[in-house]
Amino acid sequence: MLRLITDFDGPIMDVSERYYQVYQLCLRETRYPDQVVTELSKAEFWELKRSHRPEKEIALKSGLDAEQAQEFTKIRKRTVHTQPYFQYDIPVPGALDALSKVQQAGIDLVVMTMRRVRELDYAVNKYNLGEFFPENRRYCLSNDYVKTRDIEDKPLLMARALAELPPAENTWMVGDTEADIAAAKKHGIKMIAVESGIRDRTQLELYQPDLIIKDLRTTVDMILSEEV
């Protein structure tokens, strides 16, 4: 059996608008009355995020002072993974078609994400993704899970998945962050990093995945061509 384990945000969901909306909120909440700030365009902001620039640096580039930048970072951290901001996420172009191809090919499909149950369920219900990911193929954090760092937490999630899932002869992992790469490498799983998420190619190369590919659609086409 061939198995494809995929991250959710990045390979499947485009989170850039959610992150940008939260960025704009942080600016509004931290600027002084009548203070002139430089609101970055979405493209400028997302380029900084994808190159893994610290939140404080983004705040300073926007014209905030050091004290404001600290508050900016706090607001961002407590807001970016909350409602109503998840409504801004949309599927990456071609991702849902790619999932259909995987399913039609009889490949075992698993989603593994640092979202909490309620956060994953929201998107699964909104975009009718349950047909691709039944509950026994969804690996995410419990609603009360206390996060440490994704690069430490995700390998633990992978360990749980591998302990619970039936054996597979061949497994691929698809993700868009260093946490995905770390999880795959720790457990000896072949890793494909995609460029459709929150890290750019330069950042992904630092962690040496097996392959770096444009997006999930291109990844699935490659995997299916190898299986023919």
Side-chain angles (χ1 to χ4, degrees):
M1 178 174 64
L2 174 61
R3 174 172 292 137
L4 180 64
I5 302 174
T6 178
D7 188 22
F8 193 65
D9 295 337
I12 298 173
M13 299 302 292
D14 177 354
V15 302
S16 59
E17 184 63 24
R18 166 161 50 107
Y19 278 62
Y20 188 59
Q21 290 284 337
V22 172
Y23 160 74
Q24 292 177 309
L25 168 74
C26 292
L27 274 186
R28 292 195 299 270
E29 293 289 317
T30 54
R31 65 184 297 178
Y32 302 130
D34 301 322
Q35 180 184 11
V36 176
V37 296
T38 304
E39 182 177 304
L40 302 173
S41 69
K42 182 179 176 181
E44 291 170 330
F45 165 78
W46 196 234
E47 182 179 353
L48 291 170
K49 287 297 299 180
R50 296 189 74 237
S51 61
H52 208 188
R53 300 296 181 86
E55 296 299 327
K56 183 177 180 180
E57 180 180 337
I58 293 174
L60 294 174
K61 281 182 176 292
S62 303
L64 302 180
D65 62 30
E67 183 178 348
Q68 289 172 304
Q70 187 173 5
E71 181 63 20
F72 175 103
T73 301
K74 290 179 181 177
I75 295 172
R76 183 265 176 196
K77 184 176 181 180
R78 68 173 180 255
T79 306
V80 73
H81 299 300
T82 64
Q83 290 289 11
Y85 290 95
F86 280 107
Q87 68 178 309
Y88 294 107
D89 294 346
I90 60 173
V92 172
L96 301 189
D97 288 340
L99 295 178
S100 293
K101 283 186 177 182
V102 171
Q103 191 175 63
Q104 291 165 11
I107 297 171
D108 189 40
L109 185 58
V110 177
V111 65
M112 182 176 297
T113 173
M114 298 305 294
R115 286 194 184 210
R116 301 182 189 281
V117 171
R118 61 176 175 268
E119 299 160 359
L120 180 59
D121 284 352
Y122 171 81
V124 166
N125 294 333
K126 182 176 181 179
Y127 291 103
N128 299 314
L129 301 178
E131 62 178 306
F132 302 121
F133 303 112
E135 290 192 5
N136 67 352
R137 290 299 186 271
R138 302 178 200 172
Y139 285 87
C140 59
L141 304 180
S142 65
N143 288 329
D144 59 356
Y145 187 89
V146 179
K147 291 184 180 182
T148 57
R149 297 169 63 225
D150 286 3
I151 203 166
E152 297 172 0
D153 289 337
K154 197 141 198 180
L156 299 177
L157 201 58
M158 178 68 81
R160 179 163 69 88
L162 295 178
E164 294 177 1
L165 292 168
E169 296 174 5
N170 192 12
T171 300
W172 284 96
M173 171 74 185
V174 179
D176 68 314
T177 70
E178 58 275 13
D180 298 314
I181 298 170
K185 281 181 172 289
K186 182 167 184 177
H187 295 281
I189 293 172
K190 292 178 291 187
M191 175 68 207
I192 298 175
V194 291
E195 297 180 84
S196 56
I198 201 167
R199 296 287 182 263
D200 60 23
R201 175 174 280 268
T202 300
Q203 289 297 312
L204 294 171
E205 286 175 344
L206 294 175
Y207 297 90
Q208 300 180 321
D210 293 287
L211 295 167
I212 300 177
I213 295 179
K214 177 183 176 183
D215 54 23
L216 183 62
R217 175 169 52 189
T218 310
T219 296
V220 167
D221 288 344
M222 184 275 294
I223 292 174
L224 292 179
S225 68
E226 288 195 350
E227 293 298 312
V228 172

